[in-house]
Each structure stands twice: as structure tokens, then as C-alpha cells.
């Protein structure tokens, strides 16, 4: 079920339906109260109690304008209604920062910045990237993801894990700037973990299909495994 909304309004970021339902209940409001507030206070005449219920059940998700209005009615920040953001636009929405403000702080004209949001292709230089991370308060994993470096990181990590990790310390550091000592420990751990899976696979007649599948799964989740190992050392 999807009610008509402004055709110029792009889809919103990942919506946290459970959070919306909990916030509404905590305020003692019904779906009809939320819908009425969005119609009267935010000029969204098509919002009905049924649409609010659909949002809360995860059947559909609010657009950018609807999410902003919903947050206003529920007395919360838009970020409280957003599931874990992944893209540049989702992070900006989660922080409640206007695109004009991000463009100004980063030093990129608004049209170029919006194009980067739409395409997911970040083209800022190192100084602009650092400013972006600061204004959106991005963690290092999120920074790597939103600047389009995650695929390159995965490629490097798979090579470091399956070949010789020592030769990939510097290339990985360029993508994910970390303390060299921590990075060396993490790459060595990933390498040893994977080689352990492969040793089990190759021993005594080729190992089991379970061992092979474990090795493949480890490589598929290499970025997640990398950040988990980093967090273990940095707290």
C-alpha cells in the first residue's frame, strides 16, 4: 500500500519502523493523531492513519519530507527514525544536516554534492573527505563505505588474507587509515584465520565441504571481519 506523495520527493533513508511505533506509544498518541499532525502542521494532506500504520509495520517507508514531518510530530530527531545508515545521503539525514550545510563545510558546490549523493560516487579530495567525516561524524568504517572505498578495501583484504599480508599493510592503510601496529596485527590475524580454514580443507584427502564453505564465507564477509578485529583492539 502506497499513498501518493510529491513526485519530486526522493525515497527516504532506511526506516526504523519499530522505533517509530515505540516513540508514538510513549507519547500516548494513536496513528490518527500522527496523521492529523502531519496533515495540519506539515502540509501533507494525503497522510492517513493507514499510511502511518503501514510505516510502522514495515510495509512501506516514508520519503525524506515525510520522515522529517514524522520526526517533528514524534518530538525526536530524524536520525532516531532511521535504521543503520549506509549511504552518504542516509548519514546526512541521520544527522539532520541540510545538504547546503554539508556542501558549504566540505567546500563543494551544492549541485556537485547532490550529484555525489545521488550516484553514491564521492569525488572529494583528502581535505574535503576529512571535512565530510567531521561534519557527519562518521566512524572510520562508515567513512570508508560512504566514500566508495569499501569495494577496494575488500579486494585488498582478500589478497592480504590469501597471499602474504605483509605486502598489503601500506595499501590498506591508504584506504582505511589506521595505526600501523594495529593494522599489522589485524591483517596477520585475518591471514592466519583463513589459512587455518584452508589447512583443514586440504588435510587428509581434501577436507570437508563444510570447511570449504567456511573459508568462502570468511572471504565474503572479509570487510566485516576486518572491522571486528579492529574494534577488538581499539575498544
Amino acid at each position: 500500500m502506497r499513498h501518493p506523495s510529491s513526485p519530486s520527493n526522493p525515497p527516504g533513508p532506511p526506516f526504523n519502523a519499530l522505533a517509530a511505533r515505540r516513540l508514538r506509544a510513549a507519547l500516548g498518541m494513536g496513528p490518527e493523531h500522527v496523521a492529523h499532525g502531519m496533515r495540519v502542521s506539515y502540509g501533507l494532506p494525503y497522510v492517513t492513519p493507514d499510511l502511518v500504520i503501514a510505516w510502522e509495520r514495515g510495509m512501506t517507508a516514508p520519503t525524506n519530507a515525510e520522515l522529517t514531518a514524522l520526526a517533528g510530530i514524534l518530538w525526536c530527531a530524524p536520525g532516531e527514525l532511521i535504521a543503520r545508515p549506509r549511504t552518504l545521503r542516509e548519514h546526512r539525514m541521520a544527522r539532520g544536516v541540510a545538504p547546503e550545510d554539508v556542501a558549504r563545510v566540505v567546500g563543494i558546490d551544492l549541485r556537485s554534492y547532490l550529484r555525489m549523493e545521488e550516484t553514491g560516487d564521492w569525488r572529494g579530495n583528502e581535505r574535503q573527505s576529512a571535512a565530510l567525516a567531521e561534519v557527519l561524524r562518521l566512524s572510520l568504517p562508515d567513512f570508508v563505505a560512504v566514500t566508495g572505498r569499501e569495494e577496494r578495501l575488500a579486494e585488498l583484504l582478500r589478497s592480504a588474507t590469501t597471499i602474504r599480508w605483509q605486502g598489503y599493510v601500506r595499501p590498506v592503510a591508504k584506504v582505511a587509515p589506521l595505526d600501523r601496529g594495529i593494522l599489522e596485527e589485524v591483517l596477520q590475524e585475518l591471514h592466519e584465520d583463513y589459512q587455518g580454514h584452508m589447512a583443514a580443507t586440504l588435510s587428509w584427502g581434501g577436507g570437508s565441504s563444510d570447511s570449504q564453505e567456511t573459508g568462502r564465507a570468511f572471504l565474503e564477509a572479509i570487510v566485516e571481519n576486518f572491522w571486528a578485529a579492529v574494534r577488538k583492539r581499539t575498544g
Side-chain angles (χ1 to χ4, degrees), residues 120-166:
D121 183 16
W122 173 254
R123 293 182 174 274
N125 58 34
E126 290 302 314
R127 180 191 61 77
Q128 292 167 331
S129 296
L132 180 75
E134 183 175 354
V135 71
L136 296 183
R137 288 176 283 168
L138 298 172
S139 66
L140 183 55
D142 288 334
F143 172 74
V144 169
V146 302
T147 54
R149 303 179 182 187
E150 198 166 70
E151 185 175 340
R152 174 60 176 162
L153 176 61
E155 178 183 307
L156 291 170
L157 291 176
R158 291 190 188 101
S159 296
T161 300
T162 58
I163 307 175
R164 289 184 70 256
W165 65 266
Q166 293 90 339

Side-chain angles (χ1 to χ4, degrees), residues 27-206:
L27 292 171
M29 301 172 67
E32 66 278 7
H33 301 125
V34 174
H36 176 76
M38 293 180 70
R39 290 196 302 269
V40 173
S41 301
Y42 290 89
L44 301 175
Y46 55 85
V47 176
T48 64
D50 285 344
L51 181 55
V52 174
I53 291 172
W55 289 337
E56 292 183 355
R57 291 179 177 174
M59 299 167 61
T60 185
T63 63
N64 290 338
E66 292 163 353
L67 181 71
T68 299
L70 181 61
I73 296 300
L74 297 179
W75 290 86
C76 68
E80 295 180 63
L81 298 176
I82 297 176
R84 184 177 181 271
R86 292 288 299 168
T87 66
L88 179 54
R89 181 173 60 84
E90 289 168 5
H91 279 282
R92 178 180 60 75
M93 287 289 297
R95 296 301 182 190
V97 183
E100 294 84 356
D101 293 333
V102 177
R104 175 179 52 79
V105 171
V106 172
I108 297 175
D109 70 89
L110 179 58
R111 181 179 299 180
S112 297
Y113 172 75
L114 289 174
R115 189 180 305 116
M116 292 179 198
E117 276 199 0
E118 292 167 3
T119 62
D121 183 16
W122 173 254
R123 293 182 174 274
N125 58 34
E126 290 302 314
R127 180 191 61 77
Q128 292 167 331
S129 296
L132 180 75
E134 183 175 354
V135 71
L136 296 183
R137 288 176 283 168
L138 298 172
S139 66
L140 183 55
D142 288 334
F143 172 74
V144 169
V146 302
T147 54
R149 303 179 182 187
E150 198 166 70
E151 185 175 340
R152 174 60 176 162
L153 176 61
E155 178 183 307
L156 291 170
L157 291 176
R158 291 190 188 101
S159 296
T161 300
T162 58
I163 307 175
R164 289 184 70 256
W165 65 266
Q166 293 90 339
Y168 289 89
V169 175
R170 183 174 296 178
V172 171
K174 289 183 178 179
V175 177
L178 286 162
D179 176 81
R180 184 181 179 89
I182 291 175
L183 192 52
E184 289 177 346
E185 290 180 8
V186 168
L187 292 182
Q188 183 176 4
E189 177 184 323
L190 295 177
H191 179 82
E192 291 176 352
D193 284 350
Y194 178 74
Q195 295 305 321
H197 293 310
M198 293 306 297
T201 300
L202 295 173
S203 64
W204 301 103

